[in-house]
Amino acid sequence: MSVLTGVAWGQWVSSIFLLVLGLVLGSLAARSVSRFMAERSTRHHTVMLRRFVFYVIVLLFAIAALREAGFSLDVVLGAAGILTVAIGFASQTSASNMISGLFLLVEKPFEIGDFIEVDATLGEVVGIDMLSVKLRTPDNLYVRIPNETLIKTRVVNRSRFPIRRLDLTVGIAYAEDVERVEALLLGLAEKNPVCLEEPKPFVLVTAFGPSSVDLQFSFWVPKDKVLDGRSSIMVAIKKALDREGIEIPFPHTSIYAGSHSEPFRVQLLGPETLSNKEPLDVDKDR
Amino acid sequence: MESKTEGRRDGVWAQPYTLASGQTQSHQLGHVNLWVTLLDREWQIRSETVELDIDPVSWTETVGHTLPSKEMSLQRFIRAEGADTVTFIPAVGSLPTVVRPYQPLTIPAGEQCVIYVGTLVWMNVCVGDARTMLTEIPLAVPSLTWVGRNTMEGELCYSSASVARLVLEAVPKRPWRAVTPVTIINRREEPLLLERFSLPTPMLSLHLNERGQLWTPGVTVECETDMNSASLHVDQTVFAAAGKCQQVGPAREKVARGRFVRAFDRMFG
């Protein structure tokens, strides 16, 4: 009973009240800042400032709460200094991620809302936090990538610049007139509203492939119309080549049945033999 | 301005049309066919873009009870009680327009000229006395282009090939395009080759004259030393040759200083 009466309940209640007040005020201030910044700044900066305001207010109230509870701040900081060494060893990964997060904030290779590619993961940045970056993939998966990984690995930001170049490979048969196809492709880019007039689209012959002459058709599109641009121009290419009678060859595969097997019978049939030709192998057994 | 021939009339900007329930008003304007239908509780808007070899110069409007084919894309809007008028308000493009003369034009040192440029107009379909906007339709498919020093720094713009006419009478007056007189003053000691220039269309307001033509205030570009230091000025009033005008569409953007500097930084690409 004396233990209970010996505790300074008033101080503890005050400090808890201060802590709760700090959380509430921090939350309210963060929301106000978020609303104020929403139309004046990017999503990235809004989120950063919102978090900063929240943590600063909560920290101030937490210090006040500790003082109210009777803790001397010097002692707390001293204890924290000693603990830092112990905690540092125990939480190397977390510390590494936190420091990497700071570098990411300073270097700013991407912002919230950007579309990035990390290793084989592609997605929109939905959060940059203390320990990790969160992505939303095009098939709506939530991916968490530790900040340390982002510092170490290659990150491709696909939406940093307002326009992007799309390179399509178009294979045409060896018999086709390359210059005619080139003019046809450039005409398609000119007609398609998604393709930019400047920088100009161009066509390159890149390879004499095993079954086709390979052309690279490059054109520029606004960053938010990449999928639309790629798809619509590919449909247009297929239609235009079909309409003009230009063949898009596909790889031809010959089947060798092995040395012990009977070779396939190959026979050229003239028009006069077409009417009384022999039955096909597959029809023999019927 | 309105001429009635077999139910067809000339379409008019910024004039309220009253429809009865079940009626469909159809428009042929620019490269767009548009149908606006009034029903008891809703507005229906259908539109299609048509590919034409030549640019149409007229705007025809008819009213009937026939709907276009079901394949047409349909937009439905809730209709407020008593709102039975539809008004078509023109709007300038939301991006600057790069005007590219078919043949480059040379302005000798110390000379100046006025070029009449036609830019594409968007149609805002507004209903009711409050002119509540339902949708916005470009009256032709706008092409896009990029203007900037490189592919990192610059700005997306609409593109418009132009004859760059120097005589006002020769400028075709199409109801789906707005005419902007651009005065270019070359104060340099070298000739200025005008291959393309960026017109800050979002900063221009739209004005309708008595002949039903759309005009924007004139733009003056002055080149003193080099192209990048060209200064740009948007007139407060419409060109006198346009005649008596009333403003029908506001500018999308106010002429802010920062934006202004960017505009003439990239005036000539």
Side-chain angles (χ1 to χ4, degrees):
Chain A
M1 195 66 187
S2 62
V3 174
L4 287 175
T5 50
V7 175
W9 288 107
Q11 281 183 350
W12 281 104
V13 169
S14 301
S15 61
I16 289 169
F17 175 73
L18 277 173
L19 207 59
V20 172
L21 187 68
L23 286 169
V24 171
L25 286 181
S27 172
L28 286 175
R31 276 188 205 176
S32 304
V33 165
S34 181
R35 265 199 298 275
F36 179 77
M37 293 284 290
E39 289 178 4
R40 292 173 175 79
S41 187
T42 60
R43 250 172 82 197
H44 182 81
H45 289 134
T46 306
V47 171
M48 290 297 144
L49 194 68
R50 189 179 71 195
R51 287 204 185 126
F52 178 75
V53 167
F54 178 77
Y55 287 123
V56 164
I57 291 175
V58 169
L59 186 69
L60 288 175
F61 274 83
I63 291 168
L66 283 173
R67 287 175 69 96
E68 188 63 30
F71 288 99
S72 165
L73 205 62
D74 298 339
V75 177
V76 173
L77 288 176
I82 296 162
L83 276 174
T84 305
V85 179
I87 293 170
F89 280 112
S91 59
Q92 274 183 44
T93 313
S94 302
S96 166
N97 278 321
M98 281 169 74
I99 292 164
S100 303
L102 286 177
F103 280 115
L104 282 179
L105 287 179
V106 174
E107 195 190 356
K108 225 166 80 171
F110 48 80
E111 293 187 355
I112 293 175
D114 279 355
F115 214 72
I116 64 167
E117 187 182 339
V118 185
D119 292 334
T121 311
L122 186 76
E124 183 195 352
V125 180
V126 290
I128 303 172
D129 292 327
M130 209 179 283
L131 297 177
S132 63
V133 166
K134 277 85 176 182
L135 299 186
R136 183 173 67 90
T137 63
D139 53 347
N140 218 22
L141 298 179
Y142 183 80
V143 180
R144 177 187 174 278
I145 302 172
N147 288 338
E148 196 187 354
T149 311
L150 287 158
I151 291 287
K152 281 180 184 168
T153 193
R154 193 183 76 130
V155 177
V156 180
N157 188 337
R158 292 186 172 223
S159 53
R160 183 61 167 262
F161 303 127
I163 55 171
R164 274 187 53 194
R165 197 181 81 188
L166 295 183
D167 298 330
L168 300 183
T169 302
V170 182
I172 54 166
Y174 274 88
E176 305 296 348
D177 181 352
V178 175
E179 286 172 345
R180 182 168 154 240
V181 177
E182 188 178 333
L184 196 71
L185 294 176
L186 293 177
L188 290 178
E190 198 179 319
K191 278 185 193 162
N192 195 316
V194 177
C195 297
L196 300 184
E197 286 184 10
E198 292 272 345
K200 290 189 183 307
F202 60 87
V203 177
L204 297 174
V205 179
T206 50
F208 295 116
S211 52
S212 63
V213 178
D214 294 337
L215 308 180
Q216 178 189 318
F217 176 32
S218 299
F219 52 93
W220 293 79
V221 294
K223 70 176 179 187
D224 55 340
K225 292 186 176 157
V226 169
L227 288 179
D228 184 22
R230 184 186 292 274
S231 171
S232 64
I233 205 86
M234 284 183 85
V235 171
I237 290 171
K238 176 75 171 65
K239 280 185 179 172
L241 295 187
D242 286 351
R243 190 176 58 243
E244 297 290 322
I246 295 166
E247 186 191 349
I248 307 174
F250 48 87
H252 299 278
T253 307
S254 299
I255 299 171
Y256 174 56
S259 58
H260 297 294
S261 312
E262 188 184 346
F264 287 104
R265 181 164 51 83
V266 177
Q267 184 182 0
L268 284 174
L269 298 176
E272 66 282 356
T273 56
L274 278 176
S275 55
N276 53 359
K277 62 183 176 184
E278 289 180 22
L280 296 171
D281 290 347
V282 287
D283 295 329
K284 272 183 177 174
D285 300 334
R286 291 186 182 173
Chain B
M1 163 120 193
E2 284 183 48
S3 63
K4 281 196 174 184
T5 47
E6 298 170 353
R8 278 178 175 262
R9 298 184 298 178
D10 288 343
V12 188
W13 288 113
Q15 176 194 287
Y17 292 96
T18 306
L19 297 182
S21 184
Q23 275 190 330
T24 296
Q25 189 184 38
S26 59
H27 295 266
Q28 285 183 337
L29 171 62
H31 293 245
V32 165
N33 290 334
L34 174 81
W35 295 266
V36 179
T37 306
L38 176 78
L39 297 177
D40 287 347
R41 299 290 167 119
E42 66 178 287
W43 290 97
Q44 291 189 346
I45 298 176
R46 297 169 173 84
S47 66
E48 67 168 352
T49 306
V50 283
E51 281 189 21
L52 300 168
D53 293 332
I54 51 162
D55 282 340
V57 291
S58 63
W59 174 4
T60 55
E61 172 255 318
T62 49
V63 176
H65 287 83
T66 317
L67 286 173
S69 69
K70 285 182 181 173
E71 291 163 8
M72 218 65 70
S73 66
L74 168 67
Q75 290 178 275
R76 297 173 68 201
F77 302 91
I78 295 298
R79 179 188 154 206
E81 194 72 37
D84 57 357
T85 58
V86 58
T87 312
F88 303 100
I89 306 290
V92 286
S94 55
L95 300 175
T97 304
V98 172
V99 179
R100 188 197 313 275
Y102 288 113
Q103 301 297 330
L105 189 71
T106 303
I107 304 164
E111 294 284 329
Q112 70 174 65
C113 66
V114 180
I115 300 170
Y116 297 95
V117 171
T119 46
L120 181 63
V121 162
W122 271 246
M123 178 192 253
N124 289 347
V125 182
C126 305
V127 293
D129 295 335
R131 296 189 174 181
T132 312
M133 195 179 92
L134 298 186
T135 187
E136 186 178 53
I137 300 163
L139 295 172
V141 181
S143 303
L144 284 168
T145 191
W146 176 255
V147 177
R149 293 187 183 92
N150 50 45
T151 51
M152 282 166 57
E153 300 167 38
E155 187 168 32
L156 265 179
C157 298
Y158 292 123
S159 171
S160 172
S162 169
V163 180
R165 288 186 172 88
L166 301 167
V167 181
L168 180 58
E169 286 70 33
V171 178
K173 308 293 189 308
R174 293 163 290 197
W176 50 283
R177 290 181 86 87
V179 179
T180 307
V182 182
T183 306
I184 299 175
I185 305 169
N186 182 15
R187 296 204 189 283
R188 308 185 318 156
E189 290 175 354
E190 300 94 50
L192 173 67
L193 181 67
L194 193 66
E195 287 179 298
R196 64 173 187 167
F197 64 96
S198 173
L199 191 66
T201 27
M203 295 179 192
L204 304 176
S205 51
L206 279 172
H207 303 259
L208 186 69
N209 72 6
E210 289 171 324
R211 295 185 293 279
Q213 297 153 359
L214 291 171
W215 285 75
T216 72
V219 170
T220 305
V221 184
E222 209 171 329
C223 273
E224 298 243 350
T225 48
D226 60 61
M227 304 232 192
N228 288 339
S229 67
S231 68
L232 183 143
H233 171 77
V234 178
D235 295 344
Q236 294 296 312
T237 54
V238 183
F239 205 53
K244 197 178 169 189
C245 289
Q246 57 155 332
Q247 185 177 328
V248 286
R252 286 188 193 250
E253 287 179 22
K254 286 184 180 167
V255 183
R257 186 167 169 74
R259 178 71 181 74
F260 213 43
V261 172
R262 277 212 315 278
F264 52 72
D265 261 1
R266 294 163 188 165
M267 193 74 195
F268 297 99

